[in-house]
Amino acid sequence: MTTFRIKRYNPEKQPEPYYEDFQLDIPDGSTLLDCINLIKWKQDGSLTYRMSCRSAICGSCGMKVNGRAILACQRQAVSQVDKDDTVTIEPLGNMQPIKDLVVDFEPFWEKVHKVKPYLQTNEQPPEKERQQAPEQFRLIDDSSTCIMCGNCYSDCNVLEVDDNFLGPAALAKAQRFVSDSRDEKTLERVTELSEPGGIWDCTHCGECVERCPKPAEPFYRIKEIMTVALEQGVHNNNGARHALSFANSVKASGRLNENRIPVESVGIFNIKGLMDLIPIGIRMLLKRKIPPIFHKSIDDVKDVKRIFKELGQ
Amino acid sequence: MKFALFTGCVSQGATRELMVSTKKAAEGLGIEFVEMKSAACCGAGVVGEKSPMLADALNARTFAIAEKQGLDLVTICSTCQGVLKKTECNLKSDPEYMKKINHILSEGGHQYDGEKSRIKHFANILATDEGMKRLRERIKRPLTGLKVAAFYGCYVLRPSKLSDFDNPDNPTGMEDIFAALGATPVYYESRTKCCGFPIVMMNKKASLDMAGNALVDAIESGADCVVTGCPLCHLNLDSYQPEIEKLLEKKYHIPILHLPQLVALALGYSPKDLDMDKHIVSTLNVKRKLQPVG
Ligand code: SF4
Ligand code: SF4
Ligand code: FES
């Protein structure tokens, strides 16, 4: 017998969520969703969750299992049993629960809409379809696979502390259009995506890559948007300045110049930003943690400069 | 045991105590590190934002240097680790791309073969049978009674496709090392979370909230100190701790050590040998708990 520890919530009956244990013998070969269905059908018909396709296509059955977001229909139940013969099931994170495992996706969809998830062109559509070469499609192939399950959104480290962040799914969707050879609003898109709450607020935690059941893997898509934003000259923000300063520093000496980076990232004309750096600067100075003023280059830095040049950087 | 040491930039600058303690830990363990003095910065994923190919070329050059030395490459930074692994994956999964990169390297006299050197984090080499054996044999001061909370640093764990560290969701590598040193590992939820450092310049509040939540979690789980495998995590958790306190309007104080510092303490080095007075947050409560070297 395996214990399914399920987080229950029904605000009509009780304001606080609670955990309820269900016992079940896992039938051979059943997915986690099969087990949850059995619990609903045989033990408690009031258990509420979303599901539809049962084959990792519709994206409905995202939930937290043992603390991480997965698609319940995509995993064998036995693979989720912990050493105490228990599976802990909770609703997705970073969204408000409505009932049991069902959460409110409204903010998620709002953010997806915010990135204008449709083709924007200046010209009238041609008589037949707008064509793409295979190598052009390859740039948006991965992001096209997103099934909007919300798993990445649930476990994103930034969304845990900042609702304003667009989040991995919306940004992966944004890349789908930023890199689309047929879209003609690339500059406008990357300009908007470079604002606070956009690409530069991603903390590189990789959690979304880990949770994504498809090749969409948002973090990598976010990086791709960053590259386009820098190419398009959208440099007037801390994230872009940071990337440019970083690359310049490696170009000059083969390594990071930690004295220059903070100043160049906030921008040398940004008085408030610079003032903000003073307390940490003083603290580091007092502990002699300020890197050497005379920044030393790596051996054979010439070769590094050559590589920069060869790649047109 | 002999390795090529990829020091990373931060261990030469803002967290110099990491380099100092890495050398001591290696000395105590009888590990020989050959510093890679001509290797460029890994780019921290940031150079790759500007140009993915540039970042890959620079890192492939680094691998070629390690291959020439005939040694596996060791990092002391989770970020370097993850970024180097990503380049390795990009190259190995695409022979055409690898050829292109090698063409760029060839003019500088470098060539990356792909099979002659492996990338390992310092924690990786300790968490092997051989590493653990060495640790156990050479401990001079078991860290009995010290409650230690691991903070892994995202890149050694995620994306797990790139990591040969253990389970990304429930790792035990660092805790196993702590236990081998005689310390008591503290398991807490935030140990696999992000410290927030990458966005401290872009969204300071979110960054410090992330760091603060992890610190509170470690403290409430009873830890005496947090140990990181990444100097960038160290910067956010240690150097910014006074600001985090202000932001979260909570008074707390928890020393943050680098993994090699903890290892070297158990090997008998003194806190002073390991520059533990260079931290922003005082390490006094760790020092107080240390037994005499026996
Ligand atoms: S990598 Fe970025 S988008 Fe993905 S989970 Fe982490 S912070 Fe969120
Ligand atoms: S990017 Fe992946 S995890 Fe996120 S919503 Fe799409 S399919 Fe789900
Ligand atoms: S039920 Fe459709 S994805 Fe699981």
Side-chain angles (χ1 to χ4, degrees):
Chain A
M1 274 292 181
T2 298
T3 304
F4 287 77
R5 211 159 175 253
I6 304 183
K7 195 169 187 182
R8 305 293 309 263
Y9 176 57
N10 183 355
E12 285 172 11
K13 290 208 172 133
Q14 180 180 328
E16 290 304 319
Y18 58 97
Y19 288 88
E20 187 172 0
D21 287 354
F22 297 93
Q23 308 295 328
L24 185 78
D25 259 330
I26 299 176
D28 273 354
S30 52
T31 64
L32 190 65
L33 183 62
D34 294 334
C35 293
I36 299 171
N37 281 337
L38 281 175
I39 292 170
K40 182 173 174 78
W41 298 334
K42 303 254 171 83
Q43 302 187 31
D44 184 347
S46 74
L47 182 62
T48 309
Y49 49 93
R50 290 192 178 106
M51 63 154 286
S52 177
C53 71
R54 296 178 300 155
S55 42
I57 294 169
C58 73
S60 312
C61 67
M63 52 188 75
K64 275 205 182 201
V65 177
N66 303 329
R68 320 281 161 166
I70 61 168
L71 294 179
C73 71
Q74 202 188 27
R75 306 293 177 103
Q76 285 291 303
V78 283
S79 72
Q80 303 301 308
V81 178
D82 69 12
K83 53 184 185 318
D84 304 320
D85 210 0
T86 303
V87 185
T88 305
I89 303 175
E90 297 163 312
L92 290 179
N94 294 331
M95 286 176 267
Q96 289 306 316
I98 297 174
K99 192 178 175 207
D100 294 342
L101 303 175
V102 175
V103 297
D104 180 8
F105 261 68
E106 207 41 51
F108 174 94
W109 293 120
E110 266 172 33
K111 289 173 183 176
V112 172
H113 289 306
K114 228 170 151 179
V115 306
K116 307 196 177 85
Y118 39 81
L119 210 60
Q120 296 184 86
T121 55
N122 297 327
E123 282 152 31
Q124 287 301 308
E127 219 161 280
K128 273 178 98 184
E129 70 274 352
R130 290 193 163 89
Q131 289 190 331
Q132 271 193 311
E135 59 274 17
Q136 290 174 321
F137 177 66
R138 218 164 290 136
L139 300 175
I140 56 171
D141 191 5
D142 288 338
S143 43
S144 309
T145 63
C146 170
I147 55 170
M148 297 284 157
C149 64
N151 284 2
C152 55
Y153 194 94
S154 158
D155 289 16
C156 171
N157 280 221
V158 171
L159 283 168
E160 273 174 29
V161 294
D162 187 357
D163 285 341
N164 188 43
F165 182 43
L166 279 171
L171 289 173
K173 183 56 81 188
Q175 187 275 337
R176 156 75 187 77
F177 293 97
V178 164
S179 302
D180 191 316
S181 56
R182 299 161 299 183
D183 195 90
E184 290 171 304
K185 295 275 189 226
T186 315
L187 177 63
E188 288 85 341
R189 286 185 188 275
V190 291
T191 305
E192 275 174 35
L193 292 166
S194 296
E195 281 173 12
I199 46 176
W200 301 105
D201 278 15
C202 161
T203 191
H204 309 188
C205 70
E207 202 74 63
C208 51
V209 176
E210 211 52 38
R211 305 302 150 217
C212 182
K214 298 284 158 184
E217 303 186 326
F219 173 47
Y220 296 140
R221 307 291 83 78
I222 294 171
K223 292 261 174 198
E224 286 158 10
I225 306 177
M226 288 171 172
T227 306
V228 178
L230 293 173
E231 276 166 8
Q232 295 270 333
V234 184
H235 295 171
N236 191 20
N237 60 76
N238 285 8
R241 278 191 292 261
H242 178 255
L244 296 173
S245 165
F246 203 119
N248 281 336
S249 155
V250 178
K251 185 177 184 177
S253 63
R255 63 161 65 125
L256 180 63
N257 184 338
E258 292 168 289
N259 288 330
R260 266 174 57 184
I261 271 250
V263 176
E264 291 183 354
S265 300
V266 298
I268 42 171
F269 299 115
N270 176 357
I271 304 297
K272 164 142 193 339
L274 290 174
M275 298 284 283
D276 271 356
L277 294 173
I278 291 175
I280 174 109
I282 292 177
R283 263 201 311 277
M284 301 295 272
L285 193 67
L286 288 175
K287 290 282 182 179
R288 287 170 290 136
K289 282 173 89 77
I290 290 282
I293 301 287
F294 297 106
H295 183 68
K296 217 173 129 247
S297 295
I298 60 163
D299 292 353
D300 196 18
V301 67
K302 252 192 5 253
D303 189 40
V304 167
K305 291 187 188 191
R306 178 191 63 80
I307 293 176
F308 268 83
K309 200 164 158 214
E310 191 148 338
L311 287 170
Q313 297 290 326
Chain B
M1 282 174 130
K2 189 174 173 185
F3 299 99
L5 180 66
F6 182 79
T7 60
C9 302
V10 186
S11 75
Q12 313 266 345
T15 63
R16 264 169 288 172
E17 69 281 358
L18 171 58
M19 197 55 207
V20 169
S21 54
T22 299
K23 287 191 173 154
K24 296 280 189 243
E27 180 187 80
L29 288 166
I31 295 176
E32 194 182 334
F33 278 146
V34 185
E35 244 181 81
M36 304 179 70
K37 295 209 160 140
S38 59
C41 166
C42 74
V46 179
V47 170
E49 288 161 8
K50 177 123 199 305
S51 160
M53 193 160 176
L54 172 66
D56 285 340
L58 294 176
N59 291 333
R61 179 178 168 277
T62 297
F63 303 153
I65 295 169
E67 286 187 341
K68 219 180 265 172
Q69 293 179 328
L71 297 172
D72 284 344
L73 178 158
V74 168
T75 69
I76 42 176
C77 168
S78 303
T79 303
C80 295
Q81 173 76 8
V83 172
L84 293 178
K85 281 273 189 187
K86 179 76 176 99
T87 291
E88 185 190 42
C89 168
N90 290 347
L91 295 173
K92 284 193 173 181
S93 62
D94 185 347
E96 274 307 303
Y97 186 51
M98 179 122 147
K99 229 192 249 162
K100 240 192 238 165
I101 296 277
N102 264 328
H103 183 72
I104 298 169
L105 297 190
S106 59
E107 229 176 280
H110 294 295
Q111 205 53 208
Y112 172 49
D113 172 273
E115 300 303 328
K116 294 190 185 147
S117 167
R118 282 178 305 159
I119 308 159
K120 296 171 173 174
H121 187 276
F122 181 60
N124 274 131
I125 57 175
L126 297 183
T128 58
D129 291 346
E130 159 88 23
M132 284 294 191
K133 197 170 140 252
R134 250 170 217 252
L135 270 185
R136 291 204 182 92
E137 281 168 7
R138 291 167 197 243
I139 288 175
K140 296 214 178 82
R141 171 188 14 224
L143 303 175
T144 322
L146 190 68
K147 286 183 260 147
V148 185
F151 196 82
Y152 278 82
C154 300
Y155 284 92
V156 282
L157 302 171
R158 291 179 299 264
S160 56
K161 265 188 230 162
L162 302 177
S163 163
D164 36 28
F165 220 75
D166 51 349
N167 180 341
D169 298 338
N170 197 9
T172 57
M174 294 255 273
E175 286 83 357
D176 292 347
I177 296 169
F178 303 165
L181 300 175
T184 309
V186 174
Y187 293 86
Y188 64 117
E189 214 187 299
S190 307
R191 66 203 180 94
T192 59
K193 290 244 149 116
C194 179
C195 69
F197 183 77
I199 54 168
V200 72
M201 293 288 150
M202 298 75 169
N203 185 346
K204 194 166 178 180
K205 179 162 183 332
S207 169
L208 299 187
D209 275 343
M210 273 185 256
N213 289 345
L215 292 176
V216 170
D217 193 5
I219 292 168
E220 286 176 354
S221 309
D224 297 317
C225 63
V226 171
V227 168
T228 68
C230 178
L232 301 179
C233 298
H234 193 273
L235 280 177
N236 234 32
L237 300 177
D238 178 58
S239 306
Y240 278 101
Q241 209 176 109
E243 256 137 316
I244 297 170
E245 266 186 10
K246 233 188 267 162
L247 188 77
L248 298 196
E249 292 176 0
K250 261 191 203 156
K251 258 254 149 316
Y252 50 76
H253 168 99
I254 184 163
I256 317 292
L257 305 190
H258 301 281
L259 178 63
Q261 284 179 320
L262 191 80
V263 172
L265 282 175
L267 295 172
Y269 292 93
S270 73
K272 196 146 186 27
D273 288 338
L274 307 171
D275 273 358
M276 276 172 54
D277 50 351
K278 289 265 173 71
H279 294 202
I280 298 296
V281 179
S282 159
T283 52
L284 200 64
N285 72 341
V286 174
K287 289 182 206 162
R288 281 206 189 109
K289 288 209 163 186
L290 293 177
Q291 324 275 333
V293 178

